[in-house]
Amino acid sequence: MEDEVDRLVAAWRRERPDLDVEPLEVLSRVSRLARHLDRARRLAFSEHGLEPWEFDVLTSLRRAGAPYQLSPGQLLTQTLVTSGTMTNRIDRLAKKGLVERLPDPNDRRGVLVRLSPEGRDRADQALAGLLAQERAILAQLSRTQRGDLAGLLRQLTAPFDNIPG
């Protein structure tokens, strides 16, 4: 079965036979898949009234376990955004009643962000919707193929995820 990347690679091989375009066969597919996944994620989240960034923050809190709270600094680490961006996101989520700010009992100047019951419900529902979308995307692969692919992708992503600093 041919895909768009096969056509793109064939065209480059025709136009630039002096270049080794083999990396495109893998990484262009990863890039295209990422765009398809982004669309599927946006659809799954919008069905639950969430934006992707809202899902990221809410699920970071949900994964923390009861009482579903983290400091803004911990949220920064998990969502890879700046402190100004996180402050804005917490404000917007609090205004929607999905999180609340609480004083940090261990730091008089600090705050904790806690998932509200509604935030927890929305995060759980959106996660279930996302997993259904993602299962459909992977349906053509066997369990073994999915495991093999996950392992190969881990080899590519681990160096980026483990850069110090």
Side-chain angles (χ1 to χ4, degrees), residues 11-126:
W12 279 122
R13 284 189 172 135
R14 182 187 69 243
E15 295 299 316
R16 292 294 311 268
D18 57 311
L19 294 177
D20 175 11
V21 296
E22 183 181 18
L24 295 175
E25 293 190 72
V26 173
L27 300 177
S28 289
R29 284 186 174 94
V30 169
S31 178
R32 292 177 65 79
L33 182 58
R35 285 189 290 246
H36 290 297
L37 290 173
D38 185 56
R39 286 187 195 131
R41 293 179 128 227
R42 287 182 181 280
L43 176 62
F45 303 152
S46 70
E47 289 174 353
H48 301 283
L50 296 174
E51 294 291 328
W53 66 265
E54 292 173 312
F55 178 82
D56 288 345
V57 174
L58 296 178
T59 55
S60 292
L61 293 165
R62 180 68 171 98
R63 286 190 311 268
Y68 312 110
Q69 64 188 29
L70 295 169
S71 71
Q74 290 170 310
L75 284 169
L76 288 175
T77 301
Q78 291 193 20
T79 60
L80 302 174
V81 298
T82 65
S83 61
T85 298
M86 183 53 66
T87 299
N88 181 277
R89 289 179 176 186
I90 294 167
D91 288 346
R92 291 170 65 186
L93 289 167
K95 190 177 282 191
K96 291 174 108 174
L98 301 176
V99 302
E100 58 183 331
R101 281 189 175 88
L102 303 169
D104 185 339
N106 300 317
D107 179 358
R108 290 191 331 196
R109 294 176 298 158
V111 298
L112 294 173
V113 180
R114 180 181 289 169
L115 194 58
S116 72
E118 181 185 350
R120 181 179 171 190
D121 289 345
R122 297 264 288 279
D124 285 349
Q125 292 169 8

